[in-house]
Amino acid sequence: PAGGLPAGSGAWGRRVPAAGHLQEVMLTSERYGVRRLPFSRVSDGDVAFFEQIMPGRVITNAEELKPFNVDWLKSVRGCSKLMLKPQTTAEVSEVLRYCYERNLAVNPQGGNTGLVGGSVPVFDEIILSTVLMNRITSFDKVSGILVCQAGCVLEKLNEYLEEQGFIMPLDLGAKGSCHIGGNVATNAGGLRLLRYGSLRGTVLGLEVVLADGSALDCLASLRKDNTGYDLKQLFIGSEGTLGVITAVSILCPQKPKSVNLAFLGCQSFAKVLETFATCRAMLGEILSAYEFMDEKCMELVERHLKLTSPVTDSPFYVLIETSGSNSTHDEEKLNNFLEQAMNSGLVTDGTVATDEKKIKMLWSLRERITEALTHDGYVYKYDISLPVGKLYDLVTDTRARLGPSAKSVVGYGHLGDGNLHLNVTAESYNHFLLDAIEPFVYEWTARYNGSISAEHGVGFKKKQFIQYSKPKEAVHLMQRFKAMLDPKGILNPYKMLPSSS
């Protein structure tokens, strides 16, 4: 399984499927009609060279490669015949220098938990896996700065930090499998963004290997550094197309001493919005998450994962987390807010958790929606940023547009960040249904100046739609960066940027 972890690893991290049932996934190149670019093909001589620099860490067995050729959603599949597992930046450097000279395409891969087809090959690109690059280099308890290799699993980093009274500044459903390098390469958002901001702020430095094998050491551990262009920002969110991230320096917050969770039922989306405004005003600095989901999500989580919600019969549910340093102070603030929300009719039902077991149980209702959806059929996923007042209108309009041709149309997400996850399920992949959803969803989003990818990235699936969120001048400039840093285009080809005409 992806991430080198057993299937179902992580306390309640995203479950990574075992290697069975992968043969039904249609090849990406066939489903989407992609033409292979004129890269070289891997020869026996190439394999022998790689064996020489990393003996025993070169995978050519077709069975072993299967799970790394298919994405977590089982929606795209490549046919790579070679996976390399470097342990050091020097090895990544040697691999890329060789591939650049030989014109061999490379697909960097972390935990393979991405949702836009960016982490698996489209054709026979060499998979460069960071799975063995999992060493922690240093942690400074005074500054809270962690330096580690790109292949460290997010949950493992969090466990390491918790022992020292700190936490990672990001948290995702895929924490049990995803790698920090992949998180940075996709600028992953997640459940703590409301409180700690995005990786563009918390990542202080990066070490990156460029397409020609040269290593760029910008692994600074400084909060402030105003010397020249901030090069790390180029690689954060570049999805492996400009360089391979090999190490990360990141600022970590202290572990909150008191965490409370409220799980509430609201009768309308307008009430969800009003509850958010009230809670931001009343909870202030201790508010750390504000998530919402519709009743359809809850239905799927209960049906497919057999989880039970303590709050029922509401069209919308809200999960509010507070974290602070003084439990008496935090609980008093939360109770005042809840009293106000109940008395003013914003919330009709709810439950509060302060002990870790109940907190985890309530979080799983929100975190495992993605997993529940995969049990419902083929999933069409949309990760949209919109003005918060418009967030749910897109779900309503999509539901009306698709009618009975879709099995489920659900909406949930990070309301505090204006980020909607719109998901449509069907019994199986259907091209007509896809045509009914796209570009409708993107046009709708563009009309309200939203973004067609809030946090999942562009990957393979959204690259032809980037113009809905970026002007053509911006896309041209991106293409110029790509041409400058990777003139042969060997790094994660067919991804992120639209195919140049």
Side-chain angles (χ1 to χ4, degrees):
L5 292 163
S9 67
W12 19 287
R14 179 174 299 164
R15 284 13 183 213
V16 176
H21 321 300
L22 297 182
Q23 61 281 3
E24 310 96 72
V25 182
M26 195 171 168
L27 284 168
T28 307
S29 54
E30 288 175 12
R31 174 173 287 169
Y32 293 94
V34 191
R35 279 178 47 197
R36 186 183 184 276
L37 294 172
F39 297 112
S40 304
R41 293 182 190 273
V42 175
S43 69
D44 291 347
D46 298 329
V47 175
F49 172 82
F50 295 130
E51 267 296 354
Q52 215 178 321
I53 60 171
M54 49 179 101
R57 292 179 279 128
V58 176
I59 314 292
T60 53
N61 176 300
E63 229 11 71
E64 247 180 287
L65 286 166
K66 258 186 185 171
F68 303 98
N69 266 309
V70 180
D71 70 327
W72 183 79
L73 287 171
K74 299 195 175 69
S75 63
V76 285
R77 178 166 70 97
C79 46
S80 176
K81 295 171 174 58
L82 176 65
M83 179 160 76
L84 306 175
K85 295 181 174 180
Q87 284 174 325
T88 63
T89 301
E91 286 177 350
V92 174
S93 226
E94 260 188 284
V95 167
L96 289 185
R97 190 177 307 121
Y98 181 87
C99 291
Y100 190 73
E101 279 167 20
R102 279 272 295 118
N103 197 32
L104 290 162
V106 175
N107 180 103
Q109 188 179 84
N112 194 13
T113 57
L115 300 170
V116 287
S119 59
V120 292
V122 174
F123 290 96
D124 56 347
E125 300 89 284
I126 294 169
I127 298 171
L128 184 64
S129 169
T130 51
V131 70
L132 298 180
M133 299 184 74
N134 57 3
R135 281 200 330 274
I136 291 172
T137 312
S138 64
F139 178 64
D140 183 326
K141 285 188 77 162
V142 179
S143 64
I145 296 169
L146 171 80
V147 179
C148 66
Q149 283 187 303
C152 292
V153 172
L154 181 58
E155 188 168 49
K156 292 267 179 283
L157 290 176
N158 210 57
E159 286 165 4
Y160 166 83
L161 289 170
E162 282 195 345
E163 286 168 18
Q164 316 200 45
F166 287 79
I167 56 169
M168 286 297 280
L170 77 159
D171 182 27
L172 328 165
K175 62 169 81 72
S177 312
C178 65
H179 296 186
I180 188 63
N183 296 154
V184 173
T186 55
N187 188 24
L191 307 157
R192 287 179 184 160
L193 191 129
L194 181 69
R195 178 67 171 271
Y196 301 118
S198 84
L199 288 170
R200 294 200 177 278
T202 51
V203 171
L204 302 178
L206 292 177
E207 181 183 61
V208 180
V209 178
L210 302 178
D212 63 1
S214 52
L216 180 68
D217 181 356
C218 290
L219 205 55
S221 292
L222 304 168
R223 292 287 304 267
K224 291 176 150 182
D225 175 14
N226 257 353
T227 49
Y229 303 130
D230 189 1
L231 294 178
K232 69 175 179 290
Q233 296 296 349
L234 253 188
F235 301 99
I236 298 172
S238 68
E239 304 187 33
T241 61
L242 299 179
V244 177
I245 295 171
T246 52
V248 177
S249 161
I250 190 166
L251 183 65
C252 304
Q254 279 192 297
K255 184 183 178 180
K257 290 188 176 65
S258 90
V259 176
N260 297 298
L261 214 63
F263 193 83
L264 314 171
C266 293
Q267 290 306 305
S268 68
F269 190 69
K271 293 266 202 287
V272 170
L273 292 174
E274 228 181 305
T275 305
F276 176 57
T278 308
C279 120
R280 202 168 43 178
M282 294 185 73
L283 298 177
E285 80 292 347
I286 64 168
L287 176 64
S288 54
Y290 190 98
E291 301 285 313
F292 91 97
M293 61 191 104
D294 62 18
E295 59 186 336
K296 205 89 185 101
C297 293
M298 190 61 77
E299 216 176 278
L300 294 177
V301 166
E302 291 182 332
R303 185 188 328 147
H304 297 300
L305 306 178
K306 305 287 178 267
L307 300 180
T308 46
S309 167
V311 183
T312 53
D313 302 326
S314 295
F316 292 93
Y317 298 92
V318 167
L319 186 150
I320 296 169
E321 183 190 72
T322 66
S323 30
S325 55
N326 180 329
S327 54
T328 321
H329 166 262
D330 294 0
E331 280 171 34
E332 189 185 336
K333 279 185 114 166
L334 184 60
N335 289 334
N336 289 342
F337 156 70
L338 290 172
E339 205 175 308
Q340 165 76 21
M342 287 288 194
N343 292 345
S344 58
L346 291 179
V347 168
T348 45
D349 191 7
T351 184
V352 174
T354 46
D355 68 288
E356 206 168 326
K357 198 171 173 225
K358 192 176 175 191
I359 286 175
K360 282 193 169 180
M361 185 278 288
L362 289 174
W363 260 123
S364 64
L365 294 171
R366 161 64 186 86
E367 285 204 313
R368 294 182 66 190
I369 295 171
T370 312
E371 189 188 338
L373 282 157
T374 60
H375 292 286
D376 203 51
Y378 184 88
V379 191
Y380 301 85
K381 297 194 90 63
Y382 300 91
D383 161 49
I384 306 286
S385 269
L386 281 166
V388 79
K390 285 273 160 223
L391 219 55
Y392 203 74
D393 293 353
L394 176 55
V395 183
T396 314
D397 288 2
T398 306
R399 208 173 265 154
R401 178 179 169 87
L402 301 179
S405 60
K407 188 173 173 188
S408 309
V409 177
V410 310
Y412 63 99
H414 318 293
L415 189 112
D417 314 327
N419 180 185
L420 167 74
H421 294 313
L422 165 70
N423 286 250
V424 178
T425 67
E427 288 301 344
S428 58
Y429 174 80
N430 177 327
H431 204 76
F432 298 108
L433 185 58
L434 183 65
D435 287 343
I437 306 170
E438 297 174 14
F440 167 78
V441 164
Y442 301 136
E443 286 168 351
W444 198 104
T445 303
R447 198 179 317 138
Y448 297 104
N449 302 316
S451 168
I452 65 157
S453 180
E455 60 178 6
H456 293 166
V458 177
F460 171 78
K461 292 186 182 173
K462 296 184 181 179
K463 63 174 187 153
Q464 299 301 61
F465 301 110
I466 195 169
Q467 74 278 6
Y468 286 102
S469 292
K470 289 285 182 286
K472 62 176 185 300
E473 295 79 5
V475 176
H476 286 160
L477 190 56
M478 291 179 201
Q479 284 164 331
R480 282 164 64 192
F481 277 129
K482 171 74 172 167
M484 176 182 69
L485 290 170
D486 181 13
K488 295 185 177 180
I490 65 165
L491 288 178
N492 221 5
Y494 321 103
K495 319 272 174 66
M496 193 146 185
L497 294 171
S499 320
S500 322
S501 45

